[in-house]
Amino acid sequence: MQFPQRHGKKWFEGESHYILLRIKQGISPSKIAKEVSRTTNGITAQLKRIGYNSVQKGMKIEDASKLTGIPVDRLTYYIQCKDCTLLDLIQEVANLRSRIETLERRKKPAGSGLAAVRAGDEYLN
């Protein structure tokens, strides 16, 4: 499969403004994709990013939906998934830090052989 010329390339601010303008004009993402040498999925993903960023900056989700042409329910789902992913990662980092601190406070096992291996298992658990 041959990809469009701009597939995977960095988005320029002018491109984002252009696709928003075309969406406002009622042009489909697939037609816009051909105009800007992107894939339809690329256009949709960029619209979702614009919607997410707009809501993060304080725009009402209904207004972000109108801006991007993405239905409110789909944009809401995207935002929730993206936020959950970020929150899950933040929580995981906090859990790992806590685990590391706990391990650092414990004594490392001394000795050698099977006793040291068993003590090491306890150290890790």
Side-chain angles (χ1 to χ4, degrees):
M1 177 178 181
Q2 189 172 353
F3 290 106
Q5 182 181 6
R6 299 262 321 130
H7 174 78
K9 305 279 188 215
K10 180 180 177 183
W11 283 85
F12 296 109
E13 193 171 325
E15 284 180 294
S16 295
H17 290 300
Y18 180 78
I19 66 170
L20 290 173
L21 173 67
R22 298 299 277 158
I23 287 292
K24 188 175 183 179
Q25 294 170 343
I27 307 302
S28 71
S30 59
K31 180 147 175 48
I32 297 168
K34 290 176 185 165
E35 293 173 355
V36 297
S37 297
R38 301 273 188 175
T39 63
T40 302
N41 285 342
I43 298 298
T44 303
Q46 183 65 3
L47 289 168
K48 288 178 182 179
R49 281 189 290 274
I50 292 168
Y52 176 83
N53 291 335
S54 297
V55 170
Q56 293 302 309
K57 292 177 181 174
M59 183 182 281
K60 292 181 181 177
I61 196 150
E62 294 81 9
D63 294 335
S65 173
K66 288 177 190 172
L67 175 70
T68 61
I70 298 188
V72 171
D73 60 334
R74 286 182 46 208
L75 189 55
T76 301
Y77 177 77
Y78 175 75
I79 290 168
Q80 289 172 344
C81 288
K82 189 164 175 95
D83 285 344
C84 277
T85 302
L86 289 173
L87 291 174
D88 290 343
L89 287 173
I90 290 167
Q91 184 61 50
E92 186 64 26
V93 168
N95 290 342
L96 288 172
R97 283 184 178 155
S98 175
R99 181 84 173 127
I100 289 168
E101 289 170 3
T102 301
L103 292 173
E104 287 175 345
R105 283 193 298 266
R106 293 182 183 173
K107 281 176 124 179
K108 291 186 179 180
S112 62
L114 188 55
V117 171
R118 285 188 180 135
D121 286 345
E122 291 173 11
Y123 174 73
L124 293 175
N125 293 325

